[in-house]
Amino acid sequence: MQMNDCARAIQYLRANAAKYNIDKSRIASYGGSAGACISMWLAFHDDMADPKSSDPVAKESTRLTAAGSQNGQPTLDPRTFEEWFGVGKLQVHPALLYLFGVRTEAELEKPEVRKLIVDASPITHLTKGDAPVFLSNGQGDVVNGTPDPNQIVHHARLGIKLKEQMDKLGIECWTQYPGGPAVTQYRNVVDFLIAKLKA
């Protein structure tokens, strides 16, 4: 999965911290849509470092100081989308078919594909002590009829649902979207990330 490639990139940066003048204890990730999903996956996933590896890169941590999301997806599971939106059967975004190497929505129910979907969903890995996250969405938490796939995967409700889970675990999480509660601590996701990296 692309998530594993990005985890390896984090390890590479840490292994070469002196070369690139990087403080390896302060690394954050931010992206839009798919990049946001991967950033959250890195923020929540258990450390993938292998201290016993002969590869110096693989020995490095994959954990983040903080993560930012612009219209990102804390889940890639069509079942969870339907649960969160509560409007019946939803059309699956075509990108999910490509991501999991299938051609039809029916194939997403294969056990081996279900396993991939669950593992690729950031919220699957969410546990107490994970990195703080700031989520920004361009659309409000409004559902008129059955939303189309592009609305579903970029909807403010995804961030709202993630925040509910992070609040329960006592993990800092901010959501910023039209019509939502004001975020007074930070102007935006960039302000948040800078503050966390300087802390």
Side-chain angles (χ1 to χ4, degrees):
M1 290 189 304
Q2 293 92 328
M3 288 77 168
N4 292 315
D5 294 337
C6 291
R8 176 74 179 184
I10 297 294
Q11 291 175 307
Y12 177 84
L13 289 173
R14 283 199 163 103
N16 293 276
K19 177 180 179 180
Y20 296 116
N21 194 27
I22 293 171
D23 181 348
K24 64 194 297 183
S25 69
R26 303 183 191 197
I27 295 181
S29 180
Y30 167 66
S33 194
C37 178
I38 293 173
S39 294
M40 289 185 280
W41 190 90
L42 291 167
F44 303 152
H45 201 283
D46 289 344
D47 200 336
M48 299 169 70
D50 181 3
K52 297 181 180 179
S53 176
S54 59
D55 177 6
V57 174
K59 290 181 178 180
E60 296 289 342
S61 173
T62 59
R63 297 290 278 171
L64 298 178
T65 301
S69 165
Q70 177 72 39
N71 298 321
Q73 306 82 30
T75 184
L76 295 174
D77 191 341
R79 295 182 186 179
T80 305
F81 286 133
E82 290 181 357
E83 176 188 340
W84 285 357
F85 284 90
V87 291
K89 182 67 177 174
L90 296 174
Q91 183 181 350
V92 173
H93 196 287
L96 294 183
L97 303 181
Y98 300 133
L99 176 61
F100 298 116
V102 299
R103 295 184 177 182
T104 67
E105 292 187 23
E107 292 178 271
L108 293 173
E109 293 300 323
K110 291 182 176 180
E112 64 272 22
V113 180
R114 286 291 311 158
K115 185 177 179 180
L116 283 173
I117 290 171
V118 171
D119 184 46
S121 295
I123 201 168
T124 298
H125 305 284
L126 181 64
T127 54
K128 191 174 181 64
D130 285 339
V133 173
F134 189 110
L135 304 110
S136 177
N137 287 84
Q139 59 178 316
D141 184 29
V142 177
V143 179
N144 295 319
T146 302
D148 68 44
N150 286 315
Q151 287 181 305
I152 293 166
V153 299
H154 298 133
H155 204 280
R157 184 161 301 179
L158 304 184
I160 294 168
K161 290 293 186 179
L162 175 62
K163 179 171 171 54
E164 289 175 1
Q165 296 302 312
M166 294 185 73
D167 286 349
K168 289 178 182 177
L169 293 171
I171 308 170
E172 183 180 357
C173 179
W174 302 96
T175 57
Q176 190 174 61
Y177 58 93
V183 178
T184 57
Q185 288 81 354
Y186 307 101
R187 290 172 296 176
N188 50 43
V189 64
V190 174
D191 190 37
F192 164 82
L193 291 174
I194 290 173
K196 293 305 175 186
L197 290 172
K198 285 185 174 181

